[in-house]
Amino acid sequence: MRPARIIVTATLAAVAIATGSYLALSTNTDHPAALPTSTVVETPTTAGGPTNPEPVVLADGRHPVLLKTIDPGRGTVTFDLIQYFHGDQATIEAAKDHQESPPPNDSYSRNLNPKLRTLAVRADAAITANQLAGSNQDIPVSLTRLATLTRAGSGMFWITVRGDQVVQIGEQWSP
């Protein structure tokens, strides 16, 4: 039983070291995929206090996600935020996770946690699909059409968020 405890302890120590190394490297803003994926951002304040009492679901910017639910009636999307790496960075990150390196198609994604987030989609949001729409080109689609095209495991999308609303959704093409 003692060798099993030693192996488990060594494995946990290696995971802790790898996680610490990843967190230290993830603050490198030279590579967009290495940007931290914080899910709660402090709300802006004024002299009179917070301008918005609710925390922000996702910071403004472009984020890689896995779409989980699309509700055209409510105009919302529920998604799982992931990390996406391409090229040399994909090779490095896949190796860190003890995955095939270099990764297939020169890209690698990592899902740090299963937390789902829901945001409103602006009525004028630009939405495109490619492979789901049967094309190698980005095809404009409505939120309703996107809901009929997607299913579990539909692939990665990029969402652009501004002011806690989705203003753009685009399918990531992959070979």
Side-chain angles (χ1 to χ4, degrees), residues 95-160:
K96 284 182 189 176
D97 291 346
H98 307 288
Q99 300 296 316
E100 183 179 351
S101 183
N105 302 316
D106 211 23
S107 65
Y108 179 69
S109 63
R110 176 188 293 136
N111 191 350
L112 293 176
N113 65 57
K115 180 179 179 177
L116 299 181
R117 299 153 177 87
T118 301
L119 283 175
V121 179
R122 285 185 35 164
D124 62 347
I127 304 171
T128 58
N130 46 60
Q131 290 173 307
L132 290 175
S135 176
N136 288 331
Q137 304 291 321
D138 286 339
I139 306 292
V141 296
S142 66
L143 190 61
T144 301
R145 177 72 176 133
L146 186 62
T148 65
L149 293 172
T150 57
R151 62 196 176 293
S154 290
M156 193 188 97
F157 285 79
W158 290 92
I159 63 169
T160 302

Side-chain angles (χ1 to χ4, degrees), residues 20-143:
S21 297
Y22 165 74
L23 291 174
L25 292 174
S26 69
T27 59
N28 175 3
T29 58
D30 294 340
H31 191 279
L35 292 175
T37 55
S38 174
T39 59
V40 177
V41 176
E42 294 296 320
T43 55
T45 59
T46 62
T51 57
N52 180 359
E54 296 297 317
V56 174
V57 173
L58 192 59
D60 286 0
R62 188 171 179 249
H63 306 278
V65 301
L66 301 174
L67 294 178
K68 297 298 185 177
T69 307
I70 299 171
D71 186 341
R74 291 182 51 217
T76 61
V77 291
T78 300
F79 56 90
D80 191 355
L81 182 65
I82 63 171
Q83 292 178 324
Y84 177 78
F85 306 95
H86 188 73
D88 291 340
Q89 195 66 33
T91 300
I92 292 167
E93 298 302 324
K96 284 182 189 176
D97 291 346
H98 307 288
Q99 300 296 316
E100 183 179 351
S101 183
N105 302 316
D106 211 23
S107 65
Y108 179 69
S109 63
R110 176 188 293 136
N111 191 350
L112 293 176
N113 65 57
K115 180 179 179 177
L116 299 181
R117 299 153 177 87
T118 301
L119 283 175
V121 179
R122 285 185 35 164
D124 62 347
I127 304 171
T128 58
N130 46 60
Q131 290 173 307
L132 290 175
S135 176
N136 288 331
Q137 304 291 321
D138 286 339
I139 306 292
V141 296
S142 66
L143 190 61

